[in-house]
Amino acid sequence: QQPVQSPQAVILREGEDAVINCSSSKALYSVHWYRQKHGEAPVFLMILLKGGEQKGHEKISASFNEKKQQSSLYLTASQLSYSGTYFCGTRGSSNTGKLIFGQGTTLQVKP
Amino acid sequence: SAVISQKPSRDICQRGTSLTIQCQVDSQVTMMFWYRQQPGQSLTLIATANQGSEATYESGFVIDKFPISRPNLTFSTLTVSNMSPEDSSIYLCSATLRRGATEAFFGQGTRLTVV
């Protein structure tokens, strides 16, 4: 079942922060975050495993709340290069490699 | 990591014809997948390409329409058969090095337009 992302779109000024949420109605093994720019392949950002961990990648970090089956992606002090569409992908078990993606969140960072 | 090459990068095809998309990975990977992405939309999983056996299709996708082959650990093909304008989309090949909590790598995609 497809995870649900919110919001659908965000417009920011450079330096502002944003949070993108990803929720699933099914138990999750892992949550993956990707960013895709127009006409390009999705680019991997990070993976979070069940256990409620939080990860960081420069000014982009994420958390995974196993009880709520929800993950959040945090973008701080946004830069123009952060613009694109962000997708969360979920895996239901460790045995499967397939990812089911949310509908995406379009982020536009303006000067 | 893995680098995935897809061919062709784009094509314009007549309705009723078939197109085969090739996916080549530069290293041996455990799992390969095919996704479809319509403009401005999410990635929808078509099937898991299984080495040496029939692909595993997701709900709404059938082998007669999207036959898939995977003869070895680094190569797979997706055929879009008897195409109609509704098949116009971007088709993406993806691979993971192993099962479990590993990242998925993506090819650049094949942009298909059916006229």
Side-chain angles (χ1 to χ4, degrees), chain A residues 2 29-30 32 34 36 38-42 44 47 49 87 91 94-104, chain B residues 31 33 35 37 40-45 48 58 92 96 98-109 111:
Chain A
Q2 184 180 37
Y29 171 74
S30 62
H32 305 234
Y34 286 80
Q36 186 179 34
H38 183 69
E40 299 180 7
F44 170 76
I47 295 174
L49 298 176
F87 293 99
R91 284 185 179 143
S94 60
N95 289 327
T96 180
K98 69 179 185 181
L99 284 171
I100 305 300
F101 287 93
Q103 78 273 30
Chain B
M31 307 191 78
F33 307 92
Y35 287 86
Q37 185 175 33
Q41 302 296 312
S42 182
L43 293 87
T44 301
L45 181 64
T48 302
E58 298 297 307
L92 291 140
T96 59
R98 56 188 183 277
R99 295 178 186 270
T102 59
E103 72 176 279
F105 301 93
F106 287 88
Q108 291 296 315
R111 184 180 293 271

Side-chain angles (χ1 to χ4, degrees), chain A residues 95-98, chain B residues 23 29-34 45-58 63 66-78 93-96 99:
Chain A
N95 289 327
T96 180
K98 69 179 185 181
Chain B
C23 174
V29 292
T30 301
M31 307 191 78
M32 296 182 73
F33 307 92
W34 288 96
L45 181 64
I46 297 172
T48 302
N50 300 310
Q51 185 199 356
S53 65
E54 191 172 289
T56 305
Y57 291 85
E58 298 297 307
I63 188 172
F66 299 101
I68 289 170
S69 77
R70 189 182 171 191
N72 56 49
L73 289 174
T74 63
F75 185 78
S76 178
T77 65
L78 167 73
C93 176
S94 176
T96 59
R99 295 178 186 270

Side-chain angles (χ1 to χ4, degrees), chain A residues 50-63:
Chain A
K50 66 178 183 178
E53 66 173 349
Q54 184 159 352
K55 279 194 171 183
H57 179 71
E58 295 182 346
K59 295 179 181 177
I60 301 175
S61 62
S63 63

